[in-house]
Amino acid sequence: MTTEHLPAASRPLALITGVGRTVGIGAGIARRLAASGWDIAYTYWTPYDERMAWGAEQGAAEATAAALAEHGAAGAAIEADLADPEAPARVFDEAERLLGPVTALVMCHCESVDSGLLDTTVESFDRHFAVNARATWLLIREYGTRFALAHGSGRIISLTSDHTVGNLPYGASKGALDRITLAAAHELAHLGVTANVINPGPVDTGWMSDELRAACVSRTPLGRLGTPQDTAHLVDFLCSPQGQWVNGQLLMSNGGFA
């Protein structure tokens, strides 16, 4: 499914992956960048949400597009299974067809199914790495081969996690995502593209139990959980001209969670 609006003149385009729910970090980033003058192409994959405890949010893609339009932004929703190695190229093709060349690539997509060292299946392990690591590499590769905008304007940002205990395939594949993204800061230096990774810490977007929520709050000096808006403000800064000198970094934006 794709939704589209006529693009506004002279607005740069951000491609944001993993915008499946309006309460998610990806949607929060999309709204923040739209308010800062960006057009937004965004991906989602309904079957993933359907098999998770929170379930799919009906009408989320349309609601996100409407929220972007309130800020004068053009929006394009692109459904894509990023476990498919052909999907990244198709996503870029569709984003470019609808809204033009991509200036910023912001990757919020993930496969995240709790399991540990002893109970993770080979199928689950492989799918986590296909979505979290391989798709990140392929998206960055598409971005790098297509980028032809002004030197210094390009941005790559990935969201990561360091949670591996009881969450082995997720944390391990996110560790691979870190290395892949940070390599881009050097390998795409000739394009003037910056590449950074953000660890947002525990952000409750509907997946936490009351017990886990309380435990995370107790380990955070500010006495609260992170919000999608917290992450979105940092992404907004990194995508701005003022954020250009931050490059090749793994940034902890977690309120001091320990």
Side-chain angles (χ1 to χ4, degrees):
M1 170 192 167
T2 301
T3 60
E4 60 183 289
H5 304 277
L6 291 176
S10 75
R11 293 175 68 109
L13 175 62
L15 171 58
I16 307 175
T17 62
V19 187
R21 299 185 300 141
T22 57
V23 297
I25 296 176
I29 292 171
R31 292 190 295 267
R32 178 65 259 165
L33 289 180
S36 293
W38 292 73
D39 288 334
I40 310 293
Y42 53 101
T43 75
Y44 66 102
W45 182 237
T46 301
Y48 171 72
D49 290 313
E50 287 176 340
R51 60 184 169 85
M52 303 304 286
W54 52 77
E57 179 184 350
Q58 297 301 316
E62 294 81 2
T64 296
L68 301 180
E70 290 178 2
H71 297 293
I78 305 167
E79 186 158 22
D81 179 7
L82 292 175
D84 177 357
E86 303 299 324
R90 291 197 297 266
V91 167
F92 268 87
D93 286 344
E94 189 73 349
E96 291 173 348
R97 181 183 72 82
L98 293 171
L99 298 178
V102 174
T103 300
L105 171 63
V106 183
M107 290 171 284
C108 308
H109 67 275
C110 76
E111 172 77 8
S112 179
V113 179
D114 292 346
S115 62
L117 286 164
L118 302 182
D119 60 340
T120 295
T121 67
V122 170
E123 185 278 333
S124 178
F125 189 88
D126 288 349
R127 184 169 182 84
H128 277 81
F129 272 82
V131 174
N132 297 342
R134 187 179 68 192
T136 297
W137 159 53
L138 292 172
L139 286 161
I140 291 174
R141 188 174 73 174
E142 286 297 324
Y143 178 89
T145 57
R146 297 170 188 242
F147 187 84
L149 299 172
H151 191 278
S153 65
R155 300 287 188 272
I156 297 171
I157 300 168
S158 296
L159 298 192
T160 193
S161 172
D162 54 9
H163 186 217
T164 53
V165 178
N167 210 2
L168 172 74
Y170 175 70
S173 57
K174 283 288 191 173
L177 170 150
D178 296 353
R179 301 302 100 189
I180 293 166
T181 304
L182 296 180
H186 298 272
E187 294 197 22
L188 301 184
H190 63 289
L191 300 175
V193 169
T194 66
N196 294 286
V197 182
I198 297 173
N199 186 335
V203 178
D204 185 11
T205 57
W207 59 273
M208 286 187 178
S209 66
D210 290 341
E211 187 175 77
L212 179 58
R213 190 178 297 110
C216 290
V217 168
S218 71
R219 295 171 58 188
T220 306
L222 293 176
R224 69 170 177 86
L225 296 171
T227 68
Q229 291 72 33
D230 292 323
T231 307
H233 286 306
L234 179 53
V235 172
D236 191 24
F237 171 73
L238 292 174
C239 287
S240 73
Q242 291 75 24
Q244 184 186 27
W245 197 236
V246 182
N247 190 23
Q249 303 300 309
L250 173 52
L251 302 168
M252 308 297 288
S253 177
N254 60 9
F257 176 78

